[in-house]
Amino acid sequence: MNKYFLTEDQLMIQELAKKFADEVVAATVTELDEKHEFPMAEVKQCAEMGFLGVCVPEEYGGAGLDHLSDVLVMEQLARHSSSLASIIDAHASLGSMPILMAGSEEQKQKYLAPAATGETLCAFALTEPQSGSDAAQIRTTAVLDGDEWVINGSKAFITNSTYASTFLVAAKTDLEAKGSRGISIFIVPAGLPGFEVGKPEEKMSNRSSYSCPLSFTDVRIPKENLVGELNRGFPIFMKCVDDGRVAISAVAVGMAQGVLERAAKYSKERVTFGHPICENQAIAFKLAEMATEIEVARAMLYNTARMSDNGVPFSKEATMCKMFCSEMCVRVCDMGLQIMGGYGLCNEYEVERFYRDAKLLTIGEGTSEICRMVVGRHVLKEY
Ligand SMILES: Cc1cc2nc3c(=O)[nH]c(=O)nc-3n(C[C@H](O)[C@H](O)[C@H](O)COP(=O)(O)OP(=O)(O)OC[C@H]3O[C@@H](n4cnc5c(N)ncnc54)[C@H](O)[C@@H]3O)c2cc1C
């Protein structure tokens, strides 16, 4: 049954991702999480299947598919591994996107094409130690010296940094400009003198995905590594964040689906007072609520992806979607874990990992509070 009216291409990539997630990702995810190990083999296989550049045009090495196809892939990967899905989100929806949206032809050939095929990994570096939600207050600077930009400053929580070859870095280029003006985007290749990637943060969520501090001390990059217009980088980053919010919503829906499947199965197997626990209304009602929440979230998610694919402005909807789907995922994880009782807390049953990972969804790529501020602004402008 094709109840979401997906095209042949979309059904095909969804099936490919599902098979890979069920057969490959599921087998290693718990151990990788326990060891805080990066899923390198899985990322490479995702690259071979085209998952690292689903929306990148074929001329730049991508699969040339639409945003809904990307959403379908992310959803399937996240049914088993939020870390793997988030690594791909940081690479594709955030890291590669500024080059696709605003890069020169030369930048696309040199940096986007190897990223789309998975030859290189990208990172998106906006957040700084003193500015997360208030992203316009970044202090990293880029100053032109002859034919080179000289970058100084630091970044925080940058996903994929340990293995990324290409960093998309936001820096102030007009020190007098207030707010979000005077910020530009640069491509900074890994390994340059003065550019250091710190140790990954020890965090409770997404333990197989590495988010690190970065420091730049007189890092020199060629003049042509500026992406898009000088001092006009912030709107590009924000547009990428819209795409990222759709992708992270797909992670939320996929994770919630993964929890529903595990909790429903467990409820049929676990017997108390002589009956499987699913025969208690208290359990069946929870499963019904979880399934309904997921259905609402998925409808909103697919519609938002379709808006993006049809060129309809979707910034408000992407933010609403991120807010709703991430919070829905936290609620579903809570219900799923409750259904599983004490075993829900044990890593063997996996839902404890989903429960930990889900919390990140309400923080990264715009906290729930910031999402409400953004949506509230749209609403007040409209009515
Ligand atoms: C695992 C992980 C991976 C990440 N990956 C990346 C990455 O790859 N690239 C990148 O650039 N960034 C990344 N981030 C950063 C992430 O986007 C920020 O953590 C997030 O935007 C929140 O910023 P903050 O942590 O500084 O919180 P703060 O901005 O300090 O906020 C603290 C609290 O105050 C609330 N708050 C702030 N301002 C207001 C307000 N005006 N009204 C009401 N409440 C408010 C927030 O909602 C939050 O609850 C990552 C973060 C994590 C945890």
Side-chain angles (χ1 to χ4, degrees), residues 124-127 132-133 156-159 203 211 360 363-367 369-370 373:
F124 175 90
L126 175 62
T127 302
S133 302
F157 291 118
I158 307 307
T159 302
K203 52 190 175 16
S211 298
L360 168 61
I363 293 171
E365 298 190 42
T367 63
E369 291 78 11
I370 295 303
M373 276 168 53

Side-chain angles (χ1 to χ4, degrees), residues 98-108 110-111 141-144 147-151 167-174 182-189 220-234 236-237:
I99 314 178
L100 179 61
M101 277 173 51
S104 64
E105 185 55 32
E106 198 192 333
Q107 288 169 344
K108 286 179 185 165
K110 190 166 173 188
Y111 297 104
T141 56
V143 176
L144 195 59
D147 280 345
E148 291 178 325
W149 290 99
V150 183
I151 302 186
F167 291 76
L168 275 291
V169 177
K172 270 286 210 191
T173 35
D174 179 350
I183 291 174
S184 304
I185 302 178
F186 297 93
I187 297 172
V188 181
R220 303 184 84 89
I221 55 166
K223 199 175 165 186
E224 58 271 18
N225 281 21
L226 168 72
V227 180
E229 268 182 72
L230 184 64
N231 296 327
R232 300 287 303 145
F234 201 74
I236 300 171
F237 259 144

Side-chain angles (χ1 to χ4, degrees), residues 73-333:
V73 170
M74 298 299 281
E75 202 185 331
Q76 290 306 322
L77 298 180
R79 275 178 54 247
H80 294 290
S81 174
S82 160
S83 285
L84 178 63
S86 302
I87 288 165
I88 296 176
D89 168 38
H91 164 83
S93 300
L94 297 173
S96 316
M97 226 11 102
I99 314 178
L100 179 61
M101 277 173 51
S104 64
E105 185 55 32
E106 198 192 333
Q107 288 169 344
K108 286 179 185 165
Q109 297 293 351
K110 190 166 173 188
Y111 297 104
L112 179 63
T117 55
E119 207 180 301
T120 59
L121 207 56
C122 290
F124 175 90
L126 175 62
T127 302
E128 298 191 356
Q130 81 293 338
S131 66
S133 302
D134 194 2
Q137 300 309 318
I138 59 166
R139 293 184 193 149
T140 295
T141 56
V143 176
L144 195 59
D145 179 25
D147 280 345
E148 291 178 325
W149 290 99
V150 183
I151 302 186
N152 279 288
S154 54
K155 297 282 171 186
F157 291 118
I158 307 307
T159 302
N160 290 346
S161 296
T162 316
Y163 297 107
S165 309
T166 307
F167 291 76
L168 275 291
V169 177
K172 270 286 210 191
T173 35
D174 179 350
L175 304 184
E176 305 301 316
K178 294 260 181 301
S180 64
R181 274 167 288 174
I183 291 174
S184 304
I185 302 178
F186 297 93
I187 297 172
V188 181
L192 292 179
F195 178 19
E196 284 187 15
V197 175
K199 254 180 58 184
E201 298 294 346
E202 290 281 340
K203 52 190 175 16
M204 76 172 197
S205 306
N206 282 7
R207 289 178 178 171
S208 294
S209 160
Y210 297 168
S211 298
C212 313
L214 307 179
S215 82
F216 302 88
T217 310
D218 292 330
V219 177
R220 303 184 84 89
I221 55 166
K223 199 175 165 186
E224 58 271 18
N225 281 21
L226 168 72
V227 180
E229 268 182 72
L230 184 64
N231 296 327
R232 300 287 303 145
F234 201 74
I236 300 171
F237 259 144
M238 287 300 108
K239 171 76 184 67
C240 296
V241 167
D242 287 342
D243 285 322
R245 284 181 182 159
V246 176
I248 214 73
S249 302
V251 176
V253 171
M255 287 175 66
Q257 177 69 32
V259 170
L260 175 66
E261 290 168 18
R262 286 165 175 84
K265 182 166 178 282
Y266 184 87
S267 76
K268 291 186 209 165
E269 290 164 0
R270 180 69 174 172
V271 174
T272 66
F273 304 98
H275 299 279
I277 57 168
C278 64
E279 290 180 10
N280 298 299
Q281 255 189 0
I283 301 293
F285 277 15
K286 275 197 186 69
L287 292 168
E289 220 172 294
M290 291 160 73
T292 308
E293 288 243 33
I294 294 168
E295 198 64 32
V296 172
R298 188 178 285 126
M300 191 180 191
L301 169 64
Y302 289 7
N303 192 56
T304 308
R306 285 181 166 126
M307 287 174 77
S308 166
D309 287 328
N310 285 285
V312 178
F314 68 104
S315 188
K316 179 183 78 177
E317 286 73 13
T319 309
M320 284 172 145
C321 196
K322 196 272 177 185
M323 183 177 113
F324 183 80
C325 294
S326 59
E327 294 179 4
M328 174 283 299
C329 185
V330 171
R331 287 192 294 273
V332 165
C333 287

